[in-house]
Amino acid sequence: MPLRSDLKKVLLIGSGPIVIGQACEFDYSGTQACRALKKQGLEVVLVNSNPATIMTDPGVADRTYVEPLTVEILERILEREKPDALLPTVGGQTGLNLAIEAAEKGVLARHGVELIGASLEAIRMAEDREQFKRAAARAGVETPRSGRVRSLDDARALAVTLGFPLVVRASFTLGGLGSGTVFDLAELEETVTIGIAASPMHEVLVEECLTGWSEFELEVMRDRNDNVVVVCSIENFDPMGVHTGDSITVAPAQTLSDKGYQLMRDAAQRIIREIKVEAGGSNVQFAVNPKDGRMVVIEMNPRVSRSSALASKATGFPIAKIAALLAVGYTLDEIPNDITKATPACFEPALDYCVVKIPRWAFEKFKDTDPVLGTRMKSVGEIMAIGRTFPEALMKGLRSLELDGIAMAAERGEGFGRPEDDPRTLREHLLRPHWQRLQQLFASLAVGETPEGLAEATGIDPWFLHQMKRITDTEAEWRELPSLAAITPQRLWRAKRLGISDARLGALVGATEADVRALRLGLGMRPTYKAVDTCAAEFEAQTPYFYSTYEEEDESRPGTAPRIVILGSGPNRIGQGIEFDYCCVQAAEALKEDGYEVILINSNPETVSTDYDTSTRLYFEPLTLEDVMNVIEVEQPVGVIVQLGGQTPLKLARGLHEAGVPLMGTQFDDIDRAENRRRFADLVEELGLLQPASATATSRDDAFVVAERLGYPVLVRPSYVLGGRGMRTVYDRDDLASVLDGGVALSADEPLLLDKFLEDAIEVDVDALGDGTDFVVAAVMEHIEEAGIHSGDSSCVIPPYALGDELVARIKEQTLALARALRVRGLLNVQFAVRGDRIYLIEANPRASRTVPFVAKAIDWPLARLAALVIGGKSLKDLGITTAPEPKLVSIKKPVLPFARFPGEDALLGPEMKSTGEVMGRDVDFGRAFAKAQLGSGEGLPSGGTAFISVKDDDKRAVIFMAKRLVDLGFKLIATRGTTRFFKLNGLECETVFKVHEGKPDIVDRIATGEVTLVINTPLGRVSQFDDRAIRAAALRHGVPTVTTIPGALAAVSGIEAMLKGPLGVRALQEDSCAPA
Amino acid sequence: MKPWMDADACLALEDGRMFYGRSFGAKGACAGEVVFNTAMSGYQEIYSDPSYAGQIVCLTYPLIGNYGVTDADFESPRFHAEGVIVREHCEHPSSWRLEARLGDWLTERGIVAISEVDTRALTRHIRQAGELRGVLSTDDLDPGRLVERARASTGLMGADLASRVTCAAPYVFAPGERGRVVVYDFGVKRTILTEVARRGFAVEVVPAHTSAADVLARNPVGVVLSNGPGDPAAVQGAPEAVAALLGKVPVLAICLGHQIAGLALGATTSKLKFGHHGANHPVMDLTTRRVAVTSQNHGFVVDEKSLPAGCRVSHRSLNDGAVEGIAHDALALVSVQYHPESAPGPHDSTGLFDRFAELTSTRPVAAPASAPVPA
Ligand SMILES: Nc1ncnc2c1ncn2[C@@H]1O[C@H](COP(=O)(O)OP(=O)(O)O)[C@@H](O)[C@H]1O
Ligand SMILES: Nc1ncnc2c1ncn2[C@@H]1O[C@H](COP(=O)(O)OP(=O)(O)O)[C@@H](O)[C@H]1O
Ligand SMILES: [Mg+2]
Ligand SMILES: [Mg+2]
């Protein structure tokens, strides 16, 4: 059946901000879906609040709404656009849940919109854990023993029948939110309470605990003719009990015999048929008892997922694209396989390589939470690596993670297993799945533990552990070698075939990476490149998708046109995410159009950049000097772009430069002048600009002296730190003492950096573009939160809303002066702090910044594309650029924070970035734009109720005005004793509420009852820290909007005001665009 | 060969190309046609499938032996592949069903096996050159001598390998209540027998050269023509015997059996440039328009143009349009080129055995239009 002729216009819902459990894989799937549908001649309408996505780029859909994902907003869009159908399955759990809500509230029926891809019944049956169990039973597939629980009484009763340990799982949630393994009644009650709150249905499933069983996933597709194919099987290295999103996973399944695999495939088919997923992809998860093969189904997601993105990258089969085509009428046999061109998409890819995915966590940023893995997903990103063997893929994967510091001492070169590794402590660690379990396993093997013993302790299949032992055995051999000279070509070949890097091999024999590389190249030992072709070479492939391996035959085929290599940004992490992928993708497209062949290197399977369609040729490789140089040798590009993928490629600039590789865009020396603190300070001085006073301390005593000299408060940063990690604001001597006691390394080699902290300063971000001669400022962004809160964690506004014109003009001038001095070719990001009329320079990044996609949307200017063209050789004059467009609307970018995932972590902002994603609110005025940003972030704003206010003394005066406005808007105020007295003195009605421990009900109880709708709480300092934390934790748990800064509170009040004025309108990006969409 | 490879085994192809690696099975040498298979699991089923007699099998999935071998997974009592080529053999398999390591098993049974080979390069080579004769050797690594040997070896064209792998005498595989099904053993896979038996039939297996009269004397409700190795045109007497059966009893034909049925109907067969060897091949049932992902292993096909009247193409490969099944309703013939019994591979088309089971309660209504030309 071909394209349905009754469909003309289709609405897609994106997945909103990047959060843990839902990351840029949905940009990849949504972008694919948009493009596929548009190519079919359908008009595509898209709504997504996340400005950093490719899919929201104005050229991808026909009508793009960067608006909050709420039913009210969705209805407004439906009113305006009147689409025929809604495709709910490509926007993650968020898209699916919004579609369900709209269907259930009758909104879709009211506007005559049909759900395509999966029906409401199918979605419900798959997502409602209880209904799913029944469906599985009908399909003849076993599920764990369990029961539905809506109250604590239900839970207690069930615990008696099933016995501990138990697993609690919430319905309609993502990333295991609201779930957990519990060992006793108290834990059960706590987890059930949280789970019921997290589930939109207010129910959880309590079931038998299968921790230690093997976990598998199948990616299944079904069309309306009932054809079903299994695109990929995935085996989890970490057994059941660790969320698949937090597990190392391998494709295809390694330890299943064909008999076992086919049973699983049959079960998945029966389930997808029983659930009646009409046309699209689903992910089905299974657990298998490794002792007897008993198989149960764990869940099914009737939509594209993180795993389907991984499966697409692992196999070359574009699941989301095919799912979109199936939803609009096609059947699998009618869709061609892009890669072979000659065969249809109705088949099951055959792999002739092994794929490993490893998650990346951010526990170093969340020190108060237990870094243990469980059924709730906690990772913030992932990498994928491809090799011909498991060790090769695993080792490539490990180095793709770009872990620094202690986390990867081994990757730094020492090899696994250090003398201080005591097998007993290692063993203890292993019993709880820690985020560094992989490294711990390697270390244990290196000190003599057996694979069988470790398997027994961890439940990990011995197959994986034996494979790992091949690496530790090889390393042990190498460590015995007297020197580089003792390395035979045979030995080197074997080590390279296991995926071990030159750097690591060098360290094992006391040589450098360069030594090993020279030795290797001297022998002519180079990696070969093999294509990912979906068919294991059975057919000729057209794919431009390669990975490296040490084999005999090389399949790479560099083209003849001039080639440019773009280095991607590697795994998502806090501080470096989808924004950089956006820049790489935009650049790839622009440069392809400009006549170049674009070579992309990246290791992140969630991204659009690693779609084989994006570049001319994709190399799925780690972003290390070794791996990148290998590709460069094959491709012989005219240049390499290091400024678009964030800090990852920028860090390689030196190595590439020294190897004689031409960098395109800003040159290495200028990059270094911006990145190197000392050289940057000289530059700033030369230009006559201001920087906050700063100094370094090399000892503890020194630190106190320096801090006194600068004057408290000071900003402290350990020198090894990147991305604001470990940065702290220190208010006095005691505070500094506690930081120093907190295990900060401090020596002449690792000095502590101290900056004078600028209090109450307004932070400003600027993005600029230059061609080496001419420069323009793209936008000046004023932050809502004051300096001291990481630029990535504060909301920012275009155009500046409080800074005077004169200041903005000076900021622009200073930016241009810097750009000129750094001879910027491409992008430059500068951060300032403004205090009174003094402008301080905080840092300059000679690269694309996190804000580039936001700026592009706010001013309707394809900034990343323009930058790419300039880097490729065009001048601003060639492009006809003299200034950037003025924004027509107010745009606000608001960060989204992951605190709810990290119990025990204080929900407080500071100089260390903690947000995972962002949303954009755009409207005609500040209030409305802010209200939309707030709605988009999922926090929302109350339209009435009780506001609880608790602020530090310094903030009391500032809060009065705001409190008055809240009262005028109809809010009731409550506050603790001191603040109440202060309010009363100022003529405001206010009720006193007990602090924690003062009596019952205290403020935490009042938040728990749902009475409090807004919390304004600025940190009070150490004295009442406990109270503060408890309040913020309670607000977080109960989903009460909380503001922790005065400017933030002011913005919130403006937002509330705007919302009360009337319903928020919507606008498509294309409406404000001057360029044709 | 790259100078740093510690090779102690090699594959020499008739066109002179050499591949090197390490021996992980028996020592010695073997010759055969080199074929690849892209199934990612099921190596044991593949190696023990009699259809691979005369062939050296290269598996494209690089990690082989991960879950060891187990008695229950054998498709026949022994390994039939002449030799085995893999990228990596797993030294430490893991599975609750595990009974032995693959390498040990191969060694004990005298099968020459080589690992560490760039199997993707080999597969691409075969894809381009067509299937080639080769010699796998662990004792002599001299290219000149080995290539000569490869050229001297007999290929599959014209080879009656079925006679080599068929059973020596008829035997009863399983009793059953639903009537007797006689299975021609051209190299039958055990799963074909179990699929038929599972549907309640008494299953009797007869050697490849059994006459039609002998078969009819057993009073069967249906006849199955099994899979098997080699060139269908070379299986002495089989097409004639089948021609004599068609019209008298419902027939299910699989793979080599399918080709023999084609010959029996007067059609011709020919060799594909490179066969279909994998477990992911989409086949459309032209009646239902439903697609099944199938297991396939064939180098020959029935020529569509040569099909007699009354016989239609029932299944077609979506990949290259090849004939994957023919049907003759009046003769009650169901015939497929792929493996509905899978093993290894998806179970998507086990329904074909049900269709055959239904047919057994009907009677053919006509005799074949034209008799086969004696070979
Ligand atoms: N009964 C159970 N026993 C042990 N672990 C479980 C059980 N059920 C689920 N899990 C673990 O919890 C993880 C998350 O559960 P799942 O239902 O897949 O949630 P999500 O919808 O977030 O993916 C699974 O990946 C699995 O490791
Ligand atoms: N001297 C200072 N006074 C006040 N805040 C500062 C100062 N220096 C840095 N900050 C704050 O710390 C944040 C992170 O510092 P920055 O140097 O930009 O680190 P990163 O490299 O992580 O972006 C800034 O966004 C700003 O809010
Ligand atoms: Mg789920
Ligand atoms: Mg899951």
Side-chain angles (χ1 to χ4, degrees):
Chain A
M1 269 161 276
L3 181 63
R4 279 174 54 178
S5 57
D6 56 334
L7 298 178
K8 297 278 176 280
K9 202 181 212 186
V10 177
L11 177 84
L12 265 66
I13 308 180
S15 66
I18 305 295
V19 295
I20 290 176
Q22 200 166 263
C24 60
E25 63 268 19
F26 296 107
D27 187 26
Y28 164 65
S29 54
T31 303
Q32 272 200 347
C34 283
R35 289 188 173 148
L37 296 184
K38 221 172 134 173
K39 217 167 151 191
Q40 292 300 316
L42 292 164
E43 193 174 347
V44 177
V45 184
L46 170 71
V47 51
N48 190 358
S49 54
N50 185 345
T53 49
I54 312 291
M55 60 156 78
T56 52
D57 212 57
V60 175
D62 295 289
R63 305 277 285 174
T64 308
Y65 288 87
V66 180
E67 301 285 3
L69 298 172
T70 66
V71 174
E72 294 72 28
I73 297 282
L74 183 67
E75 178 151 29
R76 216 125 308 138
I77 295 170
L78 296 180
E79 277 161 12
R80 299 185 84 207
E81 298 289 346
K82 309 206 181 321
D84 304 306
L86 168 70
L87 178 62
T89 52
V90 294
Q93 196 69 37
T94 302
L96 204 63
N97 285 359
L98 180 58
I100 298 175
E101 196 184 339
E104 283 177 343
K105 289 192 171 150
V107 173
L108 298 187
R110 195 146 60 232
H111 297 279
V113 180
E114 178 192 342
L115 269 185
I116 53 173
S119 67
L120 186 60
E121 295 66 44
I123 298 172
R124 278 212 201 102
M125 203 189 292
E127 290 285 328
D128 182 311
R129 304 239 188 238
E130 183 65 27
Q131 280 197 45
F132 177 71
K133 263 180 64 97
R134 286 200 296 269
R138 287 196 301 277
V141 185
E142 222 187 305
T143 50
R145 291 179 302 135
S146 67
R148 182 217 301 260
V149 161
R150 300 198 130 153
S151 68
L152 287 180
D153 283 343
D154 292 355
R156 284 185 281 257
L158 203 60
V160 176
T161 10
L162 293 178
F164 287 101
L166 289 167
V167 166
V168 178
R169 299 162 72 203
S171 289
F172 293 94
T173 59
L174 71 111
L177 205 66
S179 73
T181 309
V182 297
F183 294 89
D184 56 36
L185 210 56
E187 285 180 359
L188 176 71
E189 290 176 359
E190 189 189 332
T191 311
V192 165
T193 309
I194 296 173
I196 288 178
S199 158
M201 315 301 293
H202 304 296
E203 63 173 50
V204 294
L205 201 68
V206 172
E207 72 182 23
E208 92 183 274
C209 176
L210 306 179
T211 296
W213 287 31
S214 311
E215 188 164 2
F216 293 89
E217 295 173 79
L218 296 188
E219 296 302 320
V220 192
M221 303 212 74
R222 177 171 187 248
D223 69 19
R224 59 193 61 242
N225 270 1
D226 196 25
N227 295 318
V228 177
V229 295
V230 175
V231 176
C232 188
S233 63
I234 301 176
E235 177 164 356
N236 286 220
F237 172 99
D238 299 276
M240 285 284 288
V242 174
H243 195 281
T244 50
D246 273 355
S247 297
I248 296 167
T249 62
V250 182
Q254 300 297 335
T255 65
L256 284 180
S257 66
D258 190 63
K259 297 277 178 294
Y261 172 66
Q262 299 304 341
L263 285 177
M264 195 175 280
R265 186 181 176 281
D266 291 348
Q269 281 198 344
R270 289 202 303 274
I271 288 170
I272 196 171
R273 289 190 164 122
E274 181 61 41
I275 302 280
K276 299 191 185 64
V277 171
E278 268 159 28
S282 294
N283 152 272
V284 192
Q285 290 167 30
F286 292 94
V288 175
N289 187 339
K291 297 204 171 63
D292 59 12
R294 180 187 156 205
M295 177 180 77
V296 299
V297 62
I298 297 301
E299 73 153 348
M300 167 185 168
N301 293 305
R303 53 170 171 87
V304 304
S305 61
R306 176 179 45 260
S307 301
S308 73
L310 180 71
S312 297
K313 300 295 164 64
T315 59
F317 188 107
I319 294 177
K321 173 179 175 176
I322 308 278
L325 292 174
L326 296 181
V328 296
Y330 289 98
T331 50
L332 283 164
D333 54 299
E334 293 171 335
I335 304 169
N337 174 351
D338 281 352
I339 286 186
T340 60
K341 307 278 191 216
T343 58
C346 191
F347 79 114
E348 305 193 339
L351 278 57
D352 58 1
Y353 46 81
C354 174
V355 173
V356 172
K357 171 211 89 174
I358 312 178
R360 195 185 198 281
W361 292 273
F363 285 112
E364 70 277 11
K365 285 182 175 275
F366 302 97
K367 291 231 156 56
D368 292 338
T369 200
D370 198 1
V372 162
L373 308 179
T375 59
R376 256 193 317 274
M377 180 172 163
K378 292 174 178 171
S379 63
V380 295
E382 63 191 32
I383 58 82
M384 180 181 106
I386 312 178
R388 287 274 285 169
T389 63
F390 176 76
E392 182 176 50
L394 184 68
M395 295 309 279
K396 283 172 83 176
L398 262 174
R399 62 179 185 269
S400 300
L401 286 172
E402 293 174 52
L403 296 175
D404 53 282
I406 15 125
M408 256 341 266
E411 261 315 289
R412 276 213 316 263
E414 285 122 64
F416 293 117
R418 286 160 296 154
E420 65 270 29
D421 289 335
D422 170 3
R424 268 186 322 245
T425 41
L426 282 170
R427 185 54 91 84
E428 275 163 31
H429 279 306
L430 286 175
L431 295 179
R432 305 175 74 217
H434 185 271
W435 69 284
Q436 287 180 31
R437 176 151 80 170
L438 185 63
Q439 288 85 334
Q440 291 165 346
L441 286 167
F442 270 125
S444 300
L445 288 167
V447 297
E449 290 261 15
T450 63
E452 282 74 18
L454 292 174
E456 185 65 35
T458 58
I460 295 170
D461 195 294
W463 187 87
F464 293 109
L465 297 160
H466 276 290
Q467 296 283 342
M468 289 170 67
K469 189 159 183 296
R470 297 167 65 192
I471 295 163
T472 50
D473 285 352
T474 304
E475 289 195 349
E477 264 177 49
W478 276 68
R479 225 179 264 127
E480 297 301 307
L481 297 176
S483 73
L484 204 61
I487 301 169
T488 60
Q490 284 80 357
R491 194 185 286 283
L492 184 60
W493 175 248
R494 283 197 302 270
K496 294 311 284 181
R497 294 257 274 186
L498 288 176
I500 309 178
S501 67
D502 288 348
R504 206 173 163 108
L505 290 173
L508 291 168
V509 293
T512 65
E513 170 174 7
D515 295 339
V516 179
R517 184 178 174 77
L519 172 74
R520 185 165 61 69
L521 294 182
L523 290 168
M525 195 184 291
R526 291 190 169 78
T528 52
Y529 291 89
K530 302 264 181 204
V532 172
D533 64 5
T534 72
C535 62
E538 184 173 5
F539 308 102
E540 189 167 354
Q542 315 286 334
T543 8
Y545 178 3
F546 299 95
Y547 66 95
S548 70
T549 181
Y550 282 80
E551 284 278 22
E552 269 191 75
E553 184 182 72
D554 182 42
E555 291 170 36
S556 64
R557 29 169 194 257
T560 44
R563 296 173 288 285
I564 292 183
V565 169
I566 299 181
L567 301 181
S569 58
N572 278 6
R573 64 209 89 165
I574 290 177
Q576 186 170 304
I578 186 171
E579 302 82 359
F580 298 99
D581 201 60
Y582 168 96
C583 292
C584 293
V585 171
Q586 297 285 333
E589 285 173 357
L591 291 169
K592 274 198 308 193
E593 281 165 27
D594 206 28
Y596 288 103
E597 285 197 349
V598 174
I599 314 303
L600 234 152
I601 310 180
N602 200 2
S603 58
N604 182 347
E606 307 174 312
T607 55
V608 178
S609 69
T610 51
D611 190 340
Y612 56 80
D613 269 354
T614 298
S615 50
T616 317
R617 276 182 299 285
L618 166 68
Y619 288 83
F620 212 103
E621 291 286 292
L623 288 158
T624 67
L625 191 62
E626 173 179 348
D627 298 282
V628 168
M629 281 305 296
N630 286 338
V631 174
I632 288 174
E633 270 171 33
V634 169
E635 287 284 351
Q636 297 292 328
V638 295
V640 178
I641 300 182
V642 296
Q643 62 167 266
L644 298 175
Q647 215 56 37
T648 296
L650 208 66
K651 276 187 305 198
L652 296 177
R654 177 183 295 275
L656 293 173
H657 174 71
E658 285 170 359
V661 176
L663 296 188
M664 296 189 87
T666 309
Q667 287 304 294
F668 172 69
D669 188 55
D670 295 319
I671 293 176
D672 191 57
R673 278 203 297 157
E675 290 280 293
N676 179 313
R677 276 177 76 86
R678 202 157 301 132
R679 294 186 73 190
F680 186 62
D682 293 344
L683 173 68
V684 172
E685 203 179 359
E686 220 172 275
L687 294 174
L689 305 180
L690 272 181
Q691 250 190 318
S694 70
T696 53
T698 51
S699 71
R700 190 186 165 91
D701 292 343
D702 200 18
F704 287 106
V705 174
V706 167
E708 292 296 341
R709 198 176 67 228
L710 291 171
Y712 290 102
V714 292
L715 195 71
V716 175
R717 45 179 129 197
S719 65
Y720 63 81
V721 148
L722 281 167
R725 207 170 106 211
M727 271 168 75
R728 276 277 307 270
T729 313
V730 169
Y731 288 92
D732 52 33
R733 215 186 142 79
D734 290 351
D735 217 5
L736 181 58
S738 80
V739 169
L740 294 174
D741 294 340
V744 174
L746 181 52
S747 66
D749 288 339
E750 288 180 290
L752 197 65
L753 310 176
L754 293 98
D755 288 354
K756 169 74 192 155
F757 182 79
L758 302 168
E759 280 186 286
D760 298 320
I762 299 174
E763 189 161 348
V764 176
D765 245 272
V766 188
D767 281 321
L769 174 66
D771 62 10
T773 317
D774 291 320
F775 308 90
V776 289
V777 167
V780 175
M781 290 154 269
E782 179 175 344
H783 289 207
I784 294 180
E785 286 79 9
E786 61 272 42
I789 289 170
H790 193 280
S791 52
D793 280 357
S794 53
S795 301
C796 68
V797 189
I798 296 177
Y801 68 112
L803 287 175
D805 290 347
E806 191 256 350
L807 270 172
V808 172
R810 277 171 55 205
I811 288 170
K812 285 187 176 174
E813 261 166 46
Q814 295 196 3
T815 304
L816 292 175
L818 265 171
R820 204 168 296 120
L822 291 171
R823 293 177 285 246
V824 166
R825 174 156 214 124
L827 292 163
L828 173 72
N829 166 265
V830 190
Q831 285 158 32
F832 297 98
V834 181
R835 236 186 136 191
D837 63 353
R838 291 167 80 92
I839 301 174
Y840 294 88
L841 202 56
I842 294 184
E843 66 166 345
N845 297 308
R847 56 165 169 83
S849 70
R850 200 173 298 118
T851 44
V852 166
F854 168 67
V855 168
K857 266 149 213 163
I859 64 171
D860 182 36
W861 207 45
L863 183 54
R865 265 171 196 271
L866 296 174
L869 292 175
V870 167
I871 294 168
K874 293 248 183 333
S875 68
L876 293 184
K877 271 202 200 74
D878 294 341
L879 298 168
I881 294 170
T882 47
T883 55
E886 285 297 319
K888 298 200 190 86
L889 297 174
V890 177
S891 294
I892 299 183
K893 176 176 93 83
K894 183 181 191 311
V896 175
L897 293 143
F899 294 118
R901 293 255 160 199
F902 299 112
E905 196 65 36
D906 193 5
L908 204 56
L909 303 177
E912 171 159 10
M913 180 167 166
K914 294 188 170 166
S915 59
T916 53
E918 68 208 30
V919 292
M920 175 169 179
R922 55 195 287 280
D923 213 312
V924 291
D925 58 30
F926 178 88
R928 272 180 249 243
F930 187 82
K932 280 188 177 173
Q934 194 74 17
L935 284 174
S937 73
E939 272 184 63
L941 279 174
S943 52
T946 301
F948 168 72
I949 300 181
S950 160
V951 294
K952 63 174 179 241
D953 283 345
D954 290 354
D955 290 336
K956 287 218 163 96
R957 291 170 63 139
V959 89
I960 291 215
F961 167 67
M962 197 152 52
K964 277 205 171 108
R965 271 164 76 189
L966 281 172
V967 171
D968 291 345
L969 292 170
F971 280 79
K972 180 180 162 200
L973 300 184
I974 63 174
T976 48
R977 223 172 329 127
T979 313
T980 308
R981 199 176 319 120
F982 181 73
F983 280 161
K984 289 206 167 135
L985 274 176
N986 283 281
L988 279 171
E989 272 303 312
C990 183
E991 184 196 327
T992 308
V993 54
F994 287 133
K995 291 184 186 168
V996 181
H997 294 324
E998 272 184 356
K1000 289 277 173 179
D1002 61 28
I1003 175 58
V1004 169
D1005 300 321
R1006 303 271 299 254
I1007 291 173
T1009 62
E1011 173 199 354
V1012 176
T1013 54
L1014 180 67
V1015 169
I1016 297 175
N1017 172 228
T1018 59
L1020 301 179
R1022 273 193 315 285
V1023 198
S1024 52
Q1025 216 179 36
F1026 171 74
D1027 236 36
D1028 279 355
R1029 280 183 86 123
I1031 291 167
R1032 286 190 293 264
L1036 192 66
R1037 195 155 56 235
H1038 298 281
V1040 183
T1042 303
V1043 202
T1044 59
T1045 63
I1046 291 295
L1050 274 168
V1053 174
S1054 309
I1056 293 171
E1057 253 173 353
M1059 280 198 346
L1060 290 173
K1061 262 188 237 150
L1064 297 164
V1066 295
R1067 286 167 83 86
L1069 288 184
Q1070 288 81 359
E1071 288 172 64
D1072 300 305
S1073 172
C1074 14
Chain B
M1 176 175 62
K2 303 256 166 104
W4 44 75
M5 288 173 66
D6 289 306
D8 66 1
C10 70
L11 169 73
L13 295 175
E14 59 176 301
D15 65 357
R17 179 110 182 233
M18 299 290 296
F19 288 87
Y20 292 89
R22 305 217 24 108
S23 159
F24 76 101
K27 303 279 179 249
C30 66
E33 184 178 86
V34 183
V35 294
F36 62 83
N37 188 307
T38 66
M40 294 183 287
S41 54
Y43 48 84
Q44 193 187 335
E45 290 89 331
I46 292 171
Y47 295 149
S48 60
D49 175 351
S51 303
Y52 283 101
Q55 297 182 329
I56 296 174
V57 184
C58 164
L59 295 179
T60 62
Y61 187 64
L63 313 181
I64 299 300
N66 288 356
Y67 48 85
V69 286
T70 185
D71 263 348
D73 289 355
F74 280 100
E75 280 300 314
S76 74
R78 59 187 198 87
F79 275 22
H80 287 273
E82 303 292 329
V84 163
I85 305 169
V86 303
R87 165 63 179 84
E88 181 166 287
H89 165 247
C90 179
E91 299 286 336
H92 298 280
S94 158
S95 167
W96 60 278
R97 303 170 77 231
L98 174 84
E99 284 162 8
R101 296 198 309 177
L102 176 64
D104 298 341
W105 225 97
L106 291 168
T107 311
E108 278 167 30
R109 277 144 192 86
I111 313 263
V112 182
I114 178 173
S115 68
E116 304 284 313
V117 171
D118 187 343
T119 45
R120 186 172 164 90
L122 174 58
T123 303
R124 279 161 51 90
H125 186 66
I126 299 173
R127 184 184 81 213
Q128 279 147 19
E131 273 144 22
L132 294 164
R133 286 167 297 164
V135 170
L136 202 57
S137 169
T138 66
D139 35 27
D140 181 4
L141 301 192
D142 178 69
R145 277 197 301 271
L146 291 174
V147 170
E148 257 336 293
R149 247 175 100 180
R151 289 186 184 140
S153 69
T154 48
L156 290 189
M157 208 64 186
D160 177 9
L161 292 167
S163 306
R164 220 169 81 190
V165 297
T166 187
C167 53
Y171 65 95
V172 175
F173 176 77
E177 310 291 297
R178 206 175 165 181
R180 184 176 298 118
V181 167
V182 174
V183 180
Y184 264 98
D185 178 8
F186 300 120
V188 70
K189 285 168 69 185
R190 182 160 74 181
T191 308
I192 293 183
L193 302 178
T194 48
E195 284 292 342
V196 176
R198 246 184 44 195
R199 285 163 177 78
F201 297 102
V203 179
E204 289 185 17
V205 184
V206 298
H209 303 292
T210 308
S211 70
D214 260 10
V215 170
L216 291 173
R218 291 168 190 268
N219 202 14
V221 295
V223 169
V224 173
L225 310 178
S226 84
N227 64 297
D231 184 347
V235 190
Q236 297 293 328
E240 294 78 5
V242 173
L245 289 170
L246 282 172
K248 302 202 176 71
V249 60
V251 172
L252 168 65
I254 295 171
C255 203
L256 183 73
H258 158 84
Q259 294 158 2
I260 289 171
L263 293 173
L265 286 168
T268 55
T269 57
S270 55
K271 196 165 189 292
L272 290 168
K273 180 170 175 206
F274 50 91
H276 297 182
H277 303 284
N280 67 341
H281 292 249
V283 165
M284 183 178 273
D285 178 331
L286 300 178
T287 320
T288 61
R289 310 294 299 171
R290 289 273 293 274
V291 181
V293 179
T294 66
S295 187
Q296 297 191 12
N297 171 33
H298 61 99
F300 291 86
V301 278
V302 173
D303 298 318
E304 186 168 356
K305 290 210 181 67
S306 69
L307 287 176
C311 185
R312 63 190 158 84
V313 174
S314 59
H315 295 79
R316 206 180 272 291
S317 161
L318 289 184
N319 282 349
D320 60 4
V323 174
E324 286 296 333
I326 58 175
H328 197 303
D329 297 333
L331 295 180
L333 168 69
V334 183
S335 178
V336 289
Q337 180 62 76
Y338 60 88
H339 287 270
E341 80 286 2
S342 65
H347 298 156
D348 289 7
S349 28
T350 46
L352 208 77
F353 290 99
D354 297 322
R355 210 143 110 207
F356 171 65
E358 282 161 28
L359 273 185
T360 59
S361 50
T362 65
R363 286 279 116 191
V365 295
S370 60
V373 195

